[in-house]
Amino acid sequence: SPYQLLINDGNYYLLAYDSKKQDMRTFRLDRMKGVDILNEPREGEVAFSKIDLKTYTQRVFSMFGGEKKRVSLRFINPLLDTVVERFGTSADVFYRPDDDTHFVVSADVEISDQFYGWLCGFRKKAKIVSPPDVAADFQKFLDDIQGRYETE
């Protein structure tokens, strides 16, 4: 059941309700095949009403959803503009100085491999401060990648 067209990183997506999964999903328009118009009532009205479209693309990385969690991330100060561009400045995103060379942002994020991949791009310039389970899952993500490159 279609609800909203979105653009993210130059790609168009359809935000729609998936009745099999009983949840909202994003589908990349240029990869959709076999789309038919059905003369049936649209489903998922309650699920769609719970989505804040204003912040949806800020917390979902590359349109891959995951469990929504409040995370705090520590960055070096020169990355402030990049982080503001990603998370915005809405009332539910909080920025604070951490020391003379770092700041911390707290925002809602849908935890996914794409989020972890985005964070990897900053190397030692960023760190998950909280919650501890997200930091531990990120460590497992890194260990899995490292394991693929270990020599026998």
Side-chain angles (χ1 to χ4, degrees):
S1 297
Y3 276 91
Q4 184 77 37
L5 286 176
L6 305 168
I7 187 167
N8 185 266
D9 293 331
N11 295 305
Y12 286 94
Y13 296 86
L14 175 67
L15 179 61
Y17 184 76
D18 183 336
S19 58
K20 290 180 185 176
K21 304 247 185 202
Q22 296 287 300
D23 198 10
M24 298 301 291
R25 299 279 187 224
T26 51
F27 301 91
R28 222 171 104 171
L29 285 183
D30 63 328
R31 295 187 179 163
M32 293 174 69
K33 296 179 183 177
V35 176
D36 295 316
I37 297 174
L38 304 176
N39 192 17
E40 296 178 8
R42 186 162 60 168
E43 297 177 330
E45 208 171 313
V46 172
F48 181 70
S49 70
K50 293 179 182 177
I51 294 176
D52 178 6
L53 288 174
K54 187 175 180 181
T55 62
Y56 185 76
T57 58
Q58 293 172 337
R59 71 174 188 272
V60 178
F61 286 75
S62 300
M63 291 292 116
F64 284 85
E67 183 180 357
K68 181 178 166 185
K69 291 196 173 190
R70 185 80 173 171
V71 297
S72 292
L73 306 167
R74 184 177 192 250
F75 292 90
I76 62 169
N77 286 341
L79 291 174
L80 181 60
D81 288 344
T82 302
V83 175
V84 168
E85 185 178 309
R86 173 79 239 183
F87 295 109
T89 57
S90 63
D92 60 339
V93 178
F94 180 72
Y95 296 89
R96 68 171 173 80
D98 194 47
D99 60 27
D100 289 343
T101 59
H102 296 86
F103 70 93
V104 172
V105 59
S106 297
D108 292 331
V109 171
E110 295 205 16
I111 306 302
S112 66
D113 286 352
Q114 286 66 33
F115 164 64
Y116 292 146
W118 176 80
L119 200 56
C120 282
F122 297 109
R123 299 180 57 104
K124 294 182 178 183
K125 299 172 186 172
K127 180 181 180 181
I128 298 171
V129 177
S130 69
D133 63 312
V134 173
D137 286 347
F138 182 54
Q139 182 65 55
K140 290 176 192 171
F141 175 85
L142 296 171
D143 291 345
D144 182 52
I145 292 170
Q146 181 180 357
R148 295 190 50 85
Y149 295 94
E150 290 177 353
T151 57
E152 295 180 12

